[in-house]
Amino acid sequence: MKQPPNDKVTFGRANPDGIPYLYAAETLDTCLTEVRPANGQQVNIVSINPICDFKVIDLRTPRKNISFLSLAENDNNFDFKNILKLVNLLEDFSRELSLPVLPHRSRLDYIPTQFITEFFKNIGDLKGLVFQSSFGKGFNVVIFDQELIDWQKTLSTQQIRINGVDLKYE
């Protein structure tokens, strides 16, 4: 139920091969959709609790989340054009994280989001990302360090058997 061990971790939307992150979801429905279970499969779910508040990049609505006035107050060299570039970068990053990706293309298609995630992780004290699910239901949370979770206070594991998969098509 935790992030995979270093020797078993594979690439994901936010993490490159060999770098484990904890992927979580806002709701049970979002979690189950992200796992992509087969009909009849059993899925184990756990609710997690952080040990403290920590900083994440909230990519659900970057343009609404950035306060130009607070950025201007903290920077004597405030440059409106650079702030707009940052907002556009965050919107593009958010869109890329939320795009559906075909399994046979994921290794290549995830490279840009992995690179940008690593960049953001290594500046400041950011501990994760929040972004819209690629399935359009709810949002996902990527936590860079599972030690931020109080594993003693997690709720018991819930076992769910998938009784059907609802496909939509054109």
Side-chain angles (χ1 to χ4, degrees):
M1 301 311 288
K2 298 180 180 180
Q3 66 192 34
N6 288 354
D7 62 335
K8 298 206 183 322
V9 68
T10 59
F11 66 92
R13 204 172 274 275
N15 68 293
D17 259 335
I19 300 177
Y21 291 161
L22 179 64
Y23 285 79
E26 167 196 24
T27 65
L28 176 61
D29 284 348
T30 303
C31 181
L32 290 173
T33 304
E34 289 289 337
V35 171
R36 297 175 195 84
N39 193 15
Q41 184 176 356
Q42 182 173 304
V43 178
N44 295 312
I45 305 291
V46 66
S47 296
I48 58 175
N49 296 297
I51 58 172
C52 61
D53 289 338
F54 52 87
K55 285 186 181 181
V56 297
I57 297 177
D58 186 345
L59 295 166
R60 291 172 290 178
T61 54
R63 194 164 294 269
K64 291 180 184 176
N65 291 338
I66 291 184
S67 166
F68 291 102
L69 295 176
S70 67
L71 290 171
E73 289 171 4
N74 295 328
D75 186 0
N76 294 334
N77 299 319
F78 178 74
D79 183 353
F80 189 70
K81 289 180 186 176
N82 285 337
I83 300 302
L84 284 177
K85 287 178 186 177
L86 174 62
V87 170
N88 288 334
L89 170 67
L90 292 175
E91 286 182 330
D92 288 345
F93 182 40
S94 173
R95 194 170 19 265
E96 286 294 320
L97 281 168
S98 300
L99 283 176
V101 174
L102 298 174
H104 71 280
R105 295 231 359 126
S106 58
R107 182 171 292 280
L108 288 174
D109 289 346
Y110 287 165
I111 290 173
T113 54
Q114 293 166 352
F115 179 82
I116 296 171
T117 298
E118 288 302 298
F119 172 77
F120 282 124
K121 180 179 113 177
N122 288 296
I123 61 170
D125 58 348
L126 298 171
K127 305 298 183 194
L129 308 170
V130 178
F131 60 94
Q132 188 67 38
S133 168
S134 63
F135 294 97
K137 290 182 174 183
F139 61 88
N140 297 315
V141 180
V142 174
I143 302 168
F144 301 146
D145 182 1
Q146 73 179 1
E147 298 307 316
L148 294 168
I149 303 304
D150 186 343
W151 296 105
Q152 301 301 318
K153 290 187 179 178
T154 58
L155 302 177
S156 61
T157 302
Q158 181 180 4
Q159 295 182 341
I160 297 172
R161 180 165 305 284
I162 304 303
N163 293 327
V165 179
D166 183 22
L167 298 175
K168 293 187 172 127
Y169 55 91
E170 296 177 353

